[in-house]
Amino acid sequence: GCDGSILISSKPGSKELAEKDAQDNKEIPVEAYDIIEKAKAMVESKCPGVVSCADILALAARDFIHLLGGPYYPVKKGRWDGQTSMASLVYSNIPHANSTIDDMLKLFSSKGLTLNDLVVLSGAHSIGFAHCKNFVNRLYNFEGTNKPDPDMDPRLLKSLRRSCPQYGGNVGVVTPFDATTPFAFDNAYYQNLQRKLGLLASDKALFLDPRTRPLVQALAKDKNKFFQEFSLVMDKLGNVGVKRGKKHGEIRR
């Protein structure tokens, strides 16, 4: 999706859906697409055919993080937009709510990213929300036990159960990843993990796994360190799979 391919709509009547319509992307709100389209329209009106949607996505991510109190980091420009958009490629290329540390390390290393990068990028869960279906099994039937996950703070469990019943709840309900400062980009996410306040199984795993725990502890202690690390890793992430030139991409209008 980072090469702008998530912005392409599925062709009517086509057997293969576009990335936007992959199950994992269904919950991205329509406003997210609108804001990119507005930015693109404005840029096109001033200098047509120069700035890619992919660059706009990278810049918008940085600006949003900064507006919520996060770091302002430099973004390299000059990406081209990808020409392929297939829903079937999405699942295997992104982390999931129940991914284990091993699953995530395998995925990240396939993109040239490290264990350190995994822990730092997970800090993006300082902001954002998840739908009930991504964690409901932790509330009622953890790993088939018919009991809640013992690694969740009882108060968080109680509050999540109020908004997410085991069956037949409102599918539109969302819960913040960061229970303490949901609208600020900060390092509270890591502090929460130490207090059993992680929302997803993939969040809590970062504190339980001896390979990732020391870094979670270090980032929980030092917001500046988190901001510095996050800026570096976002630069690294922004270099994954970059398309340049007509053979690989295009600058979409």
Side-chain angles (χ1 to χ4, degrees):
C2 304
D3 62 5
S5 49
I6 193 162
L7 305 171
I8 300 174
S9 299
S10 299
K11 284 202 179 90
S14 160
K15 279 202 182 78
E16 173 72 60
L17 294 172
E19 270 182 42
K20 185 187 274 193
D21 294 316
Q23 210 42 54
D24 286 289
N25 292 331
K26 282 269 195 252
E27 290 161 358
I28 297 174
V30 61
E31 296 83 355
Y33 293 104
D34 290 347
I35 199 87
I36 303 295
E37 298 217 350
K38 282 182 182 145
K40 178 68 172 163
M42 201 164 273
V43 172
E44 284 298 316
S45 72
K46 298 280 188 282
C47 49
V50 177
V51 182
S52 68
C53 301
D55 274 356
I56 291 173
L57 279 171
L59 290 160
R62 188 270 313 275
D63 291 350
F64 189 69
I65 286 162
H66 185 61
L67 287 168
L68 289 175
Y72 187 86
Y73 52 87
V75 174
K76 294 191 184 85
K77 296 151 206 82
R79 296 167 191 78
W80 285 39
D81 296 316
Q83 293 169 308
T84 309
S85 184
M86 293 164 69
S88 57
L89 296 177
V90 173
Y91 187 85
S92 59
N93 277 293
I94 58 173
H96 297 278
N98 57 354
S99 292
T100 64
I101 296 293
D102 285 335
D103 294 335
M104 293 191 286
L105 284 176
K106 198 172 155 193
L107 171 64
F108 274 60
S109 67
S110 75
K111 313 278 179 203
L113 300 168
T114 63
L115 177 124
N116 182 73
D117 300 338
L118 164 62
V119 179
V120 172
L121 284 172
S122 297
H125 281 182
S126 169
I127 50 176
F129 297 81
H131 288 70
C132 295
K133 68 173 189 197
N134 293 302
F135 55 84
V136 71
N137 63 328
R138 293 190 68 201
L139 309 182
Y140 301 98
N141 187 18
F142 179 63
E143 292 183 351
T145 57
N146 271 329
K147 293 194 177 84
D149 185 342
D151 287 304
M152 182 181 278
D153 178 280
R155 285 163 309 174
L156 179 63
L157 175 66
K158 200 172 156 188
S159 114
L160 291 176
R161 279 180 158 184
R162 276 204 293 273
S163 45
C164 298
Q166 188 166 8
Y167 305 108
N170 175 353
V171 292
V173 168
V174 294
T175 299
F177 288 116
D178 174 350
T180 53
T181 58
F183 299 106
F185 192 94
D186 54 24
N187 64 331
Y189 167 78
Y190 298 105
Q191 297 165 0
N192 293 344
L193 294 184
Q194 296 175 318
R195 293 156 49 205
K196 298 189 175 184
L197 295 174
L199 185 63
L200 306 181
S202 58
D203 292 318
K204 78 157 190 176
L206 294 170
F207 186 65
L208 293 182
D209 192 294
R211 294 168 292 180
T212 47
R213 179 186 294 177
L215 191 56
V216 168
Q217 290 168 320
L219 297 172
K221 270 211 280 287
D222 189 341
K223 186 167 100 168
N224 289 336
K225 178 181 165 66
F226 169 50
F227 280 13
Q228 281 167 341
E229 294 272 331
F230 190 82
S231 302
L232 292 170
V233 178
M234 284 300 276
D235 180 60
K236 201 170 161 184
L237 183 66
N239 285 318
V240 172
V242 171
K243 314 262 188 308
R244 291 296 299 270
K246 289 205 167 47
K247 198 171 151 202
H248 303 289
E250 61 183 356
I251 306 278
R252 268 202 304 285
R253 295 290 178 109

